[in-house]
Amino acid sequence: MTAAITVDGLRKAYGDVLAVDSIAFEVREGEIFGMVGSNGAGKTTTIECIEGLRNSDSGTVRVLGMNPQQDGYALRERIGVQLQESALPARLKVWEVLDLFAALYRRAVDWRPLLEQLGLAEKSNAAFGKLSGGQKQRLFIALALLNDPELVFLDELTTGLDPQARRAMWDLVRSIRQRGKTVFLTTHYMEEAERLCDRVAIMDHGQIVALDTPEALIRSLGIEKRLVFTLPPGQATPSLAGLPQVSRVEQAGERLTVYGHGERFVSAVVYALEDAGVPFLDLRTEQPNLEDVFLALTGREMRD
């Protein structure tokens, strides 16, 4: 499969702070590629170097076969960019924004159907300052799609959005890929990356610590399954440490989380509880997910 983006040995430092530490990866044409990491992991610096908005200290970057620094003008005709932070004059109307930005490209699509597709047709005459957070994000996506790009960059697309608006954005990202585009997105929401991305690169302290499909990343670490249930008030905590399928037990009040492995993990715990005459409520299983992978690889400490 052809690579839309090739990065080799990319390095970027700000004084004594090494933001990106000699990373290498490829983004394939037609895929949704995600880069995840905590704030300060180096995601935005990486995407800005790829877009040509920032110069790297060393390494090579090729986007659609071009050098982002040397071929910047030609490249920007073929890519679309939604930045992590963007703003427009509050009184500028939606249609005026689109009309203005369309004039900046040598080839631009008709933005009216784009407004329909993004659910903004009724807001065409509304001022930017009157739009909701989700509507503003959809407008910025529309601006990123004005030139009918082959490759679309989405940097922290859903930060600050409510759950309903976030799910709507996910549908939009899928629809962009269905139109034949390649999508590169950065996010610190693990569920977002797991739901959307064909492949995910996990970034930590400027380095890529893992890169694969979400499913393969979860399988590769052999992360524990979880069985969660609640004990009735006053019920003594059962001892499950003797079960070979159980690796550890965490308790928060009357809520127990049992971690373990194996196909018979759930049944072994349930049988043990029943044999001991221990009643339990609200029993449910939790499968390993990308957030578990991320925490296993990067740790749980708070970072700025």
Side-chain angles (χ1 to χ4, degrees):
M1 186 176 292
T2 307
I5 299 172
T6 302
V7 175
D8 186 17
L10 179 64
R11 185 182 188 277
K12 179 65 180 179
Y14 303 103
D16 295 331
V17 178
L18 184 57
V20 180
D21 187 6
S22 302
I23 62 172
F25 64 94
E26 285 187 347
V27 177
R28 302 163 184 163
E29 285 187 358
E31 75 173 336
I32 300 177
F33 182 91
M35 180 168 281
V36 303
S38 56
N39 292 330
K43 305 185 304 298
T44 294
T45 296
T46 298
I47 200 172
E48 288 179 347
C49 289
I50 295 171
E51 293 164 344
L53 299 178
R54 194 175 297 277
N55 291 321
S56 62
D57 295 334
S58 60
T60 60
V61 177
R62 291 292 181 271
V63 183
L64 303 177
M66 292 184 281
N67 183 318
Q69 295 301 320
Q70 298 175 1
D71 309 309
Y73 286 109
L75 181 60
R76 290 182 185 100
E77 292 286 338
R78 299 174 60 187
I79 66 173
V81 177
Q82 173 264 325
L83 300 172
Q84 183 174 350
E85 294 184 7
S86 302
L88 292 166
R91 295 184 181 181
L92 206 60
K93 295 179 180 179
V94 169
W95 75 265
E96 292 175 326
V97 172
L98 291 162
D99 208 46
L100 172 63
F101 276 71
L104 301 177
Y105 293 105
R106 286 178 291 192
R107 182 177 65 88
V109 300
D110 184 353
W111 51 261
R112 293 166 187 83
L114 204 54
L115 278 189
E116 291 281 355
Q117 295 166 10
L118 295 175
L120 289 173
E122 295 181 357
K123 296 295 181 178
S124 177
N125 210 41
F128 175 78
K130 298 295 184 181
L131 301 180
S132 68
Q135 290 167 345
K136 288 177 180 178
Q137 288 289 59
R138 278 182 275 159
L139 176 57
F140 288 126
I141 292 177
L143 295 178
L145 298 176
L146 269 179
N147 57 327
D148 194 24
E150 302 165 48
L151 171 62
V152 182
F153 293 92
L154 305 173
D155 191 7
E156 301 288 0
L157 175 66
T158 62
T159 297
L161 299 185
D162 60 64
Q164 185 180 28
R166 182 173 295 128
R167 297 303 174 96
M169 287 297 170
W170 294 356
D171 290 339
L172 284 176
V173 174
R174 294 187 186 101
S175 70
I176 292 171
R177 197 263 294 276
Q178 289 169 1
R179 294 167 60 182
K181 316 298 183 186
T182 303
V183 179
F184 185 121
L185 68 87
T186 70
T187 181
H188 60 268
Y189 294 118
M190 298 302 120
E191 181 187 8
E192 181 166 285
E194 187 172 348
R195 295 285 189 93
L196 288 179
C197 298
D198 299 299
R199 292 189 304 139
V200 175
I202 298 178
M203 199 163 187
D204 188 47
H205 289 100
Q207 296 182 325
I208 294 177
V209 295
L211 196 166
D212 211 326
T213 66
E215 297 81 6
L217 288 171
I218 292 168
R219 285 196 309 269
S220 67
L221 289 185
I223 297 172
E224 301 160 312
K225 299 177 183 177
R226 296 185 293 270
L227 184 64
V228 182
F229 59 90
T230 303
L231 297 173
Q235 174 65 48
T237 303
S239 177
L240 300 170
L243 295 176
Q245 295 88 352
V246 174
S247 56
R248 59 194 172 98
V249 178
E250 292 181 356
Q251 183 169 2
E254 296 164 347
R255 183 172 180 268
L256 266 70
T257 303
V258 184
Y259 296 82
H261 297 275
E263 294 182 1
R264 300 193 66 243
F265 163 65
V266 175
S267 60
V269 173
V270 171
Y271 290 151
L273 292 173
E274 291 178 341
D275 289 345
V278 177
F280 50 87
L281 307 169
D282 304 324
L283 181 73
R284 70 178 187 276
T285 60
E286 294 181 353
Q287 296 300 317
N289 55 35
L290 195 59
E291 184 171 334
D292 295 313
V293 176
F294 178 77
L295 292 174
L297 291 172
T298 65
R300 294 172 178 264
E301 71 271 17
M302 187 71 71
R303 299 176 189 169
D304 295 325

